[in-house]
Amino acid sequence: MTEFRLYMLQRLSALVMAPFVLLHIGVMIYAIRDGISAAEILGRTQGSVLWFTFYATFVVAVSIHAALGLRIVLSEWAGLRGPTREITSLAIGLGLFALGANAVWSVTAGGTS
Amino acid sequence: MAEVLQQDPMRVTVLRGGPGAPMRPETFEVPLYESQTVLDVVSWIQQNSDPTLSYRFACRVGMCGSCAMMVNGVPRWTCRTHVQKVLVGGAIEVGPLRNLPVIKDLAVDMDPFFDKWVEAEGRHHPTRTRDDGIAPIDPESADRQQATAGIECINCSVCYAACDTVAGNPDYLGPAALQRAWTLYNDEKNADRGSILDAVSGKGGCHFCHSMGSCTIYCPNELNPLAAIAGLKSATARRFFGRRDR
Ligand code: SF4
Ligand code: SF4
Ligand code: FES
């Protein structure tokens, strides 16, 4: 992929993340205003296609955005070049995706609703 | 020559060396004159203290762009920098321009800087031949205003020395070359906008600029390479979303 396409991918993933962050924080503040338990959270998220889609998209955008950002930091600050840099940033992206996907799956899979 | 201003000379530390000779500071005492520039100081040292001191200049009036050096750690055009404005406790430090290989003492090799102008497609692509008439250009048109904004660049490399992205990424084309590309992009007499956008979208292209603006802060001609680079970034994004260029 060309540098320019990677640049666009990073900016577009930021564009996706911005409203998601606001929604995420907004819903959190709204949901816990009278206190909330883990069971209540899971009651709403488990089996919800909506929350699965929301957080899955979020995780994908974060993995792309962070990996591409760190790719530049790795080259300008740590002097990584060529395959070393590409493999390191790919590993960061995949690692973030694995952590995020695991979390999303844990709270949305199963349940009855 | 003008009057000596005070009894105590100033202390001028010059960073000297080059390939095969590690850079080392050497301090000279130089009399302080009225209206003296940093270039005058360097010339005084070369003429009165050490004839082996190497440096570069030509016009001495801020037109040729050959006299830039680091003065107290920041890049400046030395022929237009008054010593009295940069003296700190009666001393200054002068060194070779940052981000370029040192040839000897204060003279740097500017080839990488100029090579990148060519790499950024900073060359004219004519719309007409010598047999055609001259195209009328409206000086008030939006494109021409953009082109005019960067036209006074004197290729001094001050912005290139100020840029941290150049320091961290040897491929980065740098503010002056990208500003030149933007100038030509907006020039109605320039035919090939697409090739300019291609040239500034590669592994050293405009998209690596961090938009912190050191180039614009230090440009002695008060040009704004930061804005030119922002223009290139949005032009490449518009093309990505399907807008056609002439
Ligand atoms: S704004 Fe861009 S070109 Fe200018 S100094 Fe910063 S990184 Fe370099
Ligand atoms: S943009 Fe300004 S600082 Fe950069 S080379 Fe041109 S005149 Fe010098
Ligand atoms: S000597 Fe020409 S710009 Fe300074």
Side-chain angles (χ1 to χ4, degrees), chain A residues 3-4 7-8 72 75-76 81, chain B residues 168 170 207-208 210 236 240:
Chain A
E3 291 296 336
F4 172 67
Y7 166 87
M8 287 308 290
I72 301 296
S75 101
E76 287 181 13
R81 300 272 183 268
Chain B
H207 306 102
F208 289 90
H210 292 300
T236 52
F240 179 79

Side-chain angles (χ1 to χ4, degrees), chain A residues 77-106:
Chain A
W77 284 51
L80 295 196
R81 300 272 183 268
T84 322
R85 180 184 69 167
E86 310 306 355
I87 291 166
T88 311
S89 40
L90 188 66
I92 291 170
L94 291 175
L96 285 172
F97 178 78
L99 289 173
N102 183 35
V104 172
W105 190 250
S106 310

